[in-house]
């Protein structure tokens, strides 16, 4: 009989089966996820700086088009991109009739104020049976968290609940950070393949030579000391290799370290906050990175990353953006290749489902989350 891990260890005590292969290939399964996960749970649609007053921004949530605007008081609002007349799109990627006060349909000139209230039917002449008050734009639930904007298409959205809690980034100056760099990549894989890769480090020694050099525990195929088979408890030491302070090519911080971080947060070197299904945030001592997923098709996923800095860091003489972004972009590229390799192999008619190793406990939890969201039981 195999020795059991310590009681406090997160390791699985068995090797459970993963999701069926249909979960990664079948259009019907993907359509169910769009309806039950992507159109219900909170989905990141951008940093607050992307939504300027006087401009309509078009976003897609679960394949559904949504418009987002900022009113003169600074509040953000979101609506379905559909006119209540005959359903025409109010906004396209390149066209929107909006003067900061009225949203006007480009087809028949129905107009709505920034609260979504219908104020004009254009050249149409409603009769007594038409209730103008009942024909405003369809609202979309919106919440802001640490400068990030999330939408939910559900009439009754679930609570907004990052895995580490709403206060996880309170010690970082999130309200002052600005976007210093963006990168985007389309992957030939199912969105869940990316999250599975994110949730384990068994691949790290073979896929990420630079990362395992920076974070020594990753060399052992685990993400933290409690995942080691011989872990006996006790505090963890610094996560980064000696002399390194941040995730950069040379390990040096890109500017002044954030004030207000605890000693534990500085020693950790990275704090990951996950918000399924669409994003994770990685907070370092000197910058923050936000990675966003968009499920495009059963085997297509868009991956976007934004690097956030203090304005004074970006403006400092000698600031080296490539030293910061080059490291994570290399890791992202390596993960992308691994995810596409994983997706490609699923097309074998012999493969039905994977088997998880004890270190893949977070994948097991993720699978349970997906199945619960779809109303299924493992």
């Amino acid at each position: 009989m195999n020795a059991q891990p310590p009681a406090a260890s997160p390791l699985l005590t068995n090797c459970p089966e993963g999701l069926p292969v249909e979960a990664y290939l079948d259009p019907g399964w993907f359509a169910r996820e769009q309806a039950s996960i992507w159109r219900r749970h909170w989905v990141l649609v951008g940093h607050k700086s992307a939504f300027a007053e006087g401009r309509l921004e078009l976003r897609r949530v679960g394949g559904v088009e949504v418009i987002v605007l900022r009113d003169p008081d600074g509040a953000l609002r979101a609506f379905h991109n559909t006119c209540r007349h005959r359903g025409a799109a109010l906004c396209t990627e390149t066209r929107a009739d909006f003067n900061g006060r009225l949203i006007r349909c480009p087809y028949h000139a129905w107009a709505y104020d920034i609260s979504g209230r219908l104020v004009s039917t254009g050249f149409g002449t409603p009769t007594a049976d038409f209730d103008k008050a009942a024909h405003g734009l369809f609202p979309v639930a919106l919440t802001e968290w640490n400068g990030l904007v999330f939408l939910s298409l559900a009439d009754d959205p679930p609570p907004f609940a990052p895995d580490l809690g709403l206060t996880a980034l309170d010690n970082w100056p999130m309200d002052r950070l600005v976007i210093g760099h963006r990168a985007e990549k389309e992957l030939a894989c199912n969105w869940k393949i990316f999250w599975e890769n994110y949730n384990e480090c068994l691949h790290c020694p073979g896929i990420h030579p630079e990362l395992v050099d920076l974070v020594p525990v990753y060399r052992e195929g685990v993400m933290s000391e409690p995942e080691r088979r011989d872990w006996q408890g006790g505090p963890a030491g610094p996560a980064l290799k000696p002399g390194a302070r941040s995730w950069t090519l040379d390990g040096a911080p890109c500017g002044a370290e954030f004030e207000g971080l605890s000693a534990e947060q500085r020693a950790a070197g990275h704090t990951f906050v996950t918000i399924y299904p669409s994003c994770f945030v990685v907070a370092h001592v000197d910058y923050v990175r936000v990675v966003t997923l968009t499920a495009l098709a059963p085997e297509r996923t868009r991956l976007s990353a934004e690097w956030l800095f203090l304005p004074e860091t970006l403006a400092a003489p000698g600031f080296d953006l490539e030293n910061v972004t080059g490291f994570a972009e290399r890791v992202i590229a390596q993960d992308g290749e691994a995810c596409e390799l994983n997706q490609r192999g699923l097309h074998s008619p012999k493969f039905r489902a994977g088997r998880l190793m004890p270190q893949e406990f977070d994948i097991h939890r993720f699978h349970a989350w997906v199945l619960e969201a779809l109303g299924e039981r493992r």
Side-chain angles (χ1 to χ4, degrees):
M1 179 179 296
N2 292 334
Q4 296 297 306
S9 169
L11 299 179
L12 297 173
T13 57
N14 65 328
C15 291
E17 199 170 72
L19 295 175
V21 70
E22 290 81 12
Y24 309 94
L25 303 174
D26 180 54
W29 187 294
F30 181 78
R32 290 170 55 212
E33 290 177 341
Q34 289 286 83
S36 298
I37 295 177
W38 289 91
R39 296 176 195 161
R40 172 164 173 72
H41 289 268
W42 293 99
V43 172
L44 178 62
V45 294
H47 188 263
K48 63 181 181 180
S49 61
F51 306 98
E53 185 181 343
R55 195 172 70 207
L56 284 182
E57 292 291 339
L58 181 63
R59 295 292 186 268
R60 288 175 175 84
V61 177
V64 175
E65 292 188 342
V66 175
I67 54 175
V68 183
L69 61 87
R70 185 179 296 279
D71 68 25
D73 294 327
L76 289 173
R77 302 175 187 268
F79 305 97
H80 284 262
N81 186 31
T82 182
C83 180
R84 294 298 304 277
H85 177 207
R86 281 164 46 197
L90 299 165
C91 180
T92 69
E93 297 285 0
T94 58
R95 178 182 178 187
D97 190 355
F98 181 57
N99 59 11
R101 299 183 303 276
L102 291 179
I103 305 165
R104 194 178 307 275
C105 178
Y107 194 8
H108 297 103
W110 280 35
Y112 308 83
D113 67 16
I114 55 176
S115 70
R117 181 175 61 94
L118 177 64
V119 297
S120 172
T121 56
F123 294 100
T125 54
T127 55
D129 63 327
F130 180 80
D131 183 3
K132 184 183 288 188
H135 288 80
L137 297 179
F138 296 115
V140 173
L142 181 150
T143 191
E144 292 185 59
W145 179 71
N146 284 307
L148 305 177
V149 181
F150 294 82
L151 301 179
S152 171
L153 299 187
D155 293 332
D156 182 21
F160 180 75
D163 66 334
L164 295 187
L166 292 172
T167 63
L169 300 177
D170 279 5
N171 287 352
W172 277 264
M174 297 296 293
D175 60 331
R176 295 187 55 219
L177 301 184
V178 297
I179 297 172
H181 181 68
R182 290 188 180 91
E184 186 170 291
K185 180 180 179 63
E186 189 168 315
L187 302 177
C189 70
N190 185 274
W191 67 279
K192 297 186 296 299
I193 292 285
F194 182 88
W195 278 123
E196 291 169 359
N197 178 83
Y198 169 84
N199 276 318
E200 53 89 357
C201 213
L202 293 176
H203 71 280
C204 290
I207 299 295
H208 299 306
E210 299 86 3
L211 183 58
V212 300
D213 176 66
L214 180 68
V215 188
V217 73
Y218 289 179
R219 296 175 190 159
E220 302 176 37
V222 297
M223 293 183 285
S224 65
E225 291 188 13
E227 297 173 39
R228 290 184 168 127
R229 277 285 180 177
D230 59 354
W231 185 68
Q232 299 298 319
L240 305 185
K241 68 180 181 180
R245 297 292 297 167
S246 184
W247 282 33
T248 57
L249 290 174
D250 62 6
C254 63
E257 295 189 12
F258 297 132
E259 299 178 359
L261 301 185
S262 68
E264 292 78 11
Q265 288 167 336
R266 296 185 190 281
H270 46 258
T271 296
F272 283 80
V273 184
T274 307
I275 308 164
Y276 290 145
S278 69
C279 76
F280 65 90
V281 181
V282 194
H284 301 285
V285 299
D286 52 338
Y287 72 96
V288 173
R289 179 163 43 95
V290 181
V291 177
T292 307
L293 275 68
T294 304
L296 301 175
E299 299 186 68
R300 304 298 298 182
T301 300
R302 182 187 299 118
L303 184 69
S304 304
E306 295 181 336
W307 283 255
L308 308 180
F309 304 89
L310 288 171
E312 54 266 36
T313 296
L314 289 174
F319 172 72
D320 186 356
L321 181 64
E322 171 61 25
N323 188 44
V324 183
T325 62
F327 184 87
E329 286 188 323
R330 190 172 301 176
V331 173
I332 289 171
Q334 293 162 346
D335 280 331
E337 291 176 4
C339 290
E340 292 181 334
L341 182 73
N342 194 164
Q343 185 73 33
R344 181 175 177 177
L346 296 179
H347 284 273
S348 167
K350 291 291 189 180
F351 187 86
R352 300 308 307 155
R355 292 297 297 271
L356 302 180
M357 293 293 100
Q359 295 83 358
E360 295 173 312
F361 54 91
D362 272 333
I363 295 180
H364 188 56
R365 293 170 184 167
F366 172 63
H367 288 172
W369 181 86
V370 169
L371 293 174
E372 181 181 3
L374 294 178
E376 296 192 6
R377 301 181 68 179
R378 181 174 291 277

